[in-house]
Amino acid sequence: MNLGTLGVDALMDSMAGAELARFARKIEQLGYGALWFPEAFGRDPFALAAHLLTVTEKLIVGTAIANVWKREPVAMLSGARTLAEMFPGRFVLGIGISHGPMMTRMGINYSKPLTFMRDYLARLKDAPYGAARPSIEAPILVAALLPKMLRLVAAEADGTLPTFVTPERTAQIRAEIGPDKLICVQQISMLEKDASKARSAIRGLIGFYLSLPNYLQSLRLMGFDDSDFAGGGSDRIVDAMVAWGDEQAIRDRVAAQYKAGATHVCITPVGLAGAWRGKSEDSTTPVERALEALAPR
């Protein structure tokens, strides 16, 4: 499985089925190596992954993440192995514990997430599976930002999926989990050279994440403090969390992530969710144009 080529991470729940197919084919045509998506409050991730894999030819598809609270390990393994068998070398299972406030909203008891994930991974490995085994097993990545979860990744998973991390933090994660694990970094980006416009848009995005305890702890590990979290985020934290500027500035940040130890980088242009609104293959939106500008060379 070649995860070295730049990928895209997109929330696609607002796209209709026909739009999804056009979007996935466009990503593949532009030369991106992988398309990732989170499990939010909408589609089933395995049904969606099957559709995306069917309408493309070589594109790797990954869940970033599938929610461990929402399905038993035996169901998670069944979905992953089915896709890995039918689409050899093209599916990655990213799983995660999500965030307490989001799970509470869904009526899920978010208790002892580290213990839950440790037990979940053990049960995932031991889960029965009676169908033909895939020729290439789907890698299992765990969304991890904090030291204890990263130690679990190093011991029990194939890698991790960090979001909102600086290249310096990526280098630390590489040192923490070792040289052989996969690190697939989501790099939020905005193709906008005007600092005022870029930072204003980014603050509209990151305000939600600054309310989540896991991200705040992660940001503190990177040297940020309460003064950076106030008022929608300081310029310092905005510039660290999101790569903005011209095409070269964003490519430089992606390159820095690779240099720091990332196995794979997937970009998410700000405003991507719900932005695919073309009625034909030739119609484009600003975000689509950003994806075109930032496509692998």
Side-chain angles (χ1 to χ4, degrees):
M1 180 180 290
N2 179 18
L3 279 169
T5 305
L6 188 68
V8 173
D9 191 318
L11 175 60
M12 296 177 282
D13 279 353
S14 63
M15 300 181 193
E19 293 174 310
L20 280 170
R22 286 196 295 270
F23 181 72
R25 286 194 290 265
K26 180 74 170 179
I27 293 301
E28 184 171 52
Q29 290 164 4
L30 288 171
Y32 290 98
L35 177 56
W36 303 80
F37 62 88
E39 177 179 14
F41 302 99
R43 293 186 176 96
D44 175 82
F46 294 104
L48 176 55
H51 177 64
L52 298 173
L53 288 162
T54 298
V55 301
T56 55
E57 297 180 0
K58 298 180 180 180
L59 195 67
I60 294 170
V61 171
T63 55
I65 50 82
N67 193 317
V68 296
W69 304 100
K70 294 177 67 175
R71 57 187 58 80
E72 285 290 312
V74 65
M76 190 80 83
L77 180 74
S78 178
R81 279 198 170 147
T82 300
L83 292 174
E85 178 205 351
M86 295 183 175
F87 303 93
R90 294 183 58 202
F91 178 68
V92 181
L93 177 63
I95 61 175
I97 57 170
S98 188
H99 302 276
M102 295 174 67
M103 295 303 95
T104 299
R105 178 179 162 191
M106 297 179 66
I108 292 173
N109 180 26
Y110 189 88
S111 177
K112 298 183 177 179
L114 178 65
T115 300
F116 186 88
M117 180 61 82
R118 183 179 291 111
D119 177 67
Y120 195 95
L121 288 171
R123 293 169 62 201
L124 193 66
K125 291 182 178 181
D126 293 337
Y129 186 75
R133 291 293 185 93
S135 58
I136 303 173
E137 290 280 1
I140 299 173
L141 309 185
V142 176
L145 293 171
L146 305 179
K148 290 181 180 179
M149 192 68 79
L150 285 167
R151 286 197 288 272
L152 180 61
V153 166
E156 304 295 342
D158 295 310
T160 187
L161 296 152
T163 302
F164 288 133
V165 291
T166 61
E168 293 77 14
R169 180 57 184 151
T170 297
Q172 292 171 353
I173 291 172
R174 173 56 72 199
E176 289 178 48
I177 68 173
D180 299 324
K181 300 294 182 179
L182 299 172
I183 301 179
C184 298
V185 175
Q186 181 187 14
Q187 180 61 65
I188 314 296
S189 61
M190 184 177 189
L191 198 59
E192 173 57 66
K193 293 184 287 186
D194 184 290
S196 178
K197 291 180 180 178
R199 287 171 175 155
S200 177
I202 292 165
R203 285 189 176 92
L205 167 73
I206 68 172
F208 170 72
Y209 296 93
L210 292 178
S211 71
L212 299 174
N214 288 3
Y215 278 114
L216 289 181
Q217 292 180 64
S218 174
L219 291 165
R220 291 185 190 281
L221 287 175
M222 290 183 268
F224 299 102
D225 56 33
D226 289 343
S227 65
D228 292 298
F229 307 149
S234 66
D235 286 352
R236 185 169 78 108
I237 203 169
V238 164
D239 296 349
M241 291 176 75
V242 177
W244 61 267
D246 60 14
E247 176 188 332
Q248 191 58 51
I250 296 171
R251 288 188 183 276
D252 288 346
R253 178 74 69 87
V254 170
Q257 293 284 12
Y258 277 116
K259 185 176 180 180
T263 311
H264 171 75
V265 178
C266 47
I267 59 169
T268 301
V270 171
L272 183 56
W276 184 265
R277 286 290 177 264
K279 294 184 179 180
S280 72
E281 298 282 352
D282 296 326
S283 299
T284 58
T285 68
V287 170
E288 291 167 53
R289 290 192 288 275
L291 288 170
E292 291 172 357
L294 298 170
R297 290 171 175 167

